[in-house]
Amino acid sequence: MQSLALIENWPVTTAATAVVRADGTVVGAYGPTSHRFPLASVTKPLAAYAVLVAYEEGAVELDEPAGPEGSTVRHLLAHTSGLAFDQHRATSAPGTRRLYSNAGFEVLGEHVAKATDIPFADYLREAVLEPLGMVSTSFDGSPARDAVSTVDDLVRFAAEVQTPRLLDPRTVLEAMSVVHPGLSGVLPGYGHQKNNDWGLGFEIRDTKSPHWTGASSSPRTFGHFGQSGTFLWIDPDAGAACVALTDRPFGPWAVEAWPPFTDAILTELRTA
């Protein structure tokens, strides 16, 4: 795909990207796709998938208590538990505000580890990374931000989410559907959003503006970006996903570069 070469114009030292169809076909790749990059918050979809595996295995229930009083596993996955951004303290009642919370994902990891009697890093590896052949991905630390991976590995994950084998497709459909619709909140890096929609561990584009995906991205597009200059989006209407990893922290350069990059990809996919 010619559009992927646009990463050459990004003000970064190293970047790699790829696009994968729902059937697992990689339709284009550019840059060192086997290079390992810190994922920052793109760790969260991987962690969320492991939590959903634990749910399907019967180790946890989505609506069982977890986190602050009144909060559940579902609240934690959807950033509506009321926990603060990076502190294990509640700042609002569960289900009333969309408060993006790294602490919430750390509580999730602890909750699954206690329920399964397996350290969360081991559970994530056994439940998600090994079955998908993500041999270059490592995780040791916070479920919110501490995975390291490659474009090659994340393409495998993006293909899985589009055509699930590890989870029931109905579970993935729930994960990409809005939990607690209508809640406002801050989308990190993009300010306050009136409808700050999230699913179960995945951010949903819907009508957000500004946004890190493209102007032509469908409202159903979901995924995550990371403060290490990384992103993964899946556009069900386009039938494709894109991974881009860089070695420069997220900032104004990404706000400017990412949306037209995505729009160019979608245009090429639609005209192919």
Side-chain angles (χ1 to χ4, degrees):
M1 298 182 66
Q2 295 181 348
S3 54
L4 298 185
L6 290 173
I7 65 169
E8 289 286 356
N9 300 324
W10 293 2
V12 302
T13 302
T14 309
T17 185
V19 173
V20 60
R21 289 284 194 184
D23 64 1
T25 301
V26 177
V27 295
Y30 198 93
T33 58
S34 62
H35 184 86
R36 299 180 77 243
F37 296 86
L39 297 186
S41 286
V42 177
T43 301
K44 288 185 177 75
L46 299 175
Y49 222 73
V51 173
L52 293 175
V53 171
Y55 156 66
E56 288 202 351
E57 289 182 341
V60 301
E61 295 294 333
L62 293 178
D63 293 315
E64 70 185 25
E69 185 177 357
S71 173
T72 66
V73 170
R74 190 187 305 275
H75 284 111
L76 292 167
L77 284 167
H79 297 285
T80 58
S81 71
L83 284 174
F85 172 63
D86 249 343
Q87 296 179 316
H88 290 243
R89 62 180 179 86
T91 60
S92 65
T96 61
R97 294 176 61 195
R98 190 83 63 188
L99 295 172
Y100 182 82
S101 178
N102 286 331
F105 266 72
E106 290 166 357
V107 171
L108 273 172
E110 294 166 0
H111 187 80
V112 170
K114 183 177 180 180
T116 61
D117 200 27
I118 301 172
F120 188 72
D122 293 341
Y123 192 85
L124 174 61
R125 186 183 68 253
E126 295 170 9
V128 179
L129 304 183
E130 289 180 353
L132 295 180
M134 297 174 66
V135 296
S136 296
T137 301
S138 60
F139 166 74
D140 182 18
S142 169
R145 58 183 168 230
D146 285 337
V148 178
S149 189
T150 66
V151 166
D152 290 336
D153 273 12
L154 286 181
V155 159
R156 295 182 176 91
F157 178 69
E160 158 65 24
V161 177
Q162 292 179 89
T163 308
R165 296 181 294 113
L166 304 183
L167 291 175
D168 188 308
R170 293 171 293 184
T171 300
V172 177
L173 180 61
E174 187 171 2
M176 56 184 275
S177 301
V178 182
V179 179
H180 305 122
L183 295 183
S184 64
V186 173
L187 178 63
Y190 291 88
H192 188 271
Q193 303 280 346
K194 185 177 180 181
N195 291 307
N196 192 18
D197 291 340
W198 286 77
L200 299 174
F202 294 90
E203 191 226 325
I204 301 171
R205 189 190 195 288
D206 206 348
T207 58
K208 294 189 180 90
S209 180
H211 199 256
W212 54 276
T213 60
S216 61
S217 296
S218 78
R220 295 202 301 149
T221 299
F222 64 103
H224 222 295
F225 81 91
Q227 289 293 323
S228 57
T230 57
F231 72 71
L232 162 63
W233 57 250
I234 298 168
D235 189 333
D237 290 359
C242 179
V243 176
L245 305 180
T246 81
D247 60 359
R248 181 176 181 179
F250 172 85
W253 72 268
V255 173
E256 181 178 345
W258 288 354
F261 177 71
T262 290
D263 285 333
I265 291 169
L266 291 173
T267 296
E268 191 168 355
L269 286 171
R270 290 163 183 160
T271 57

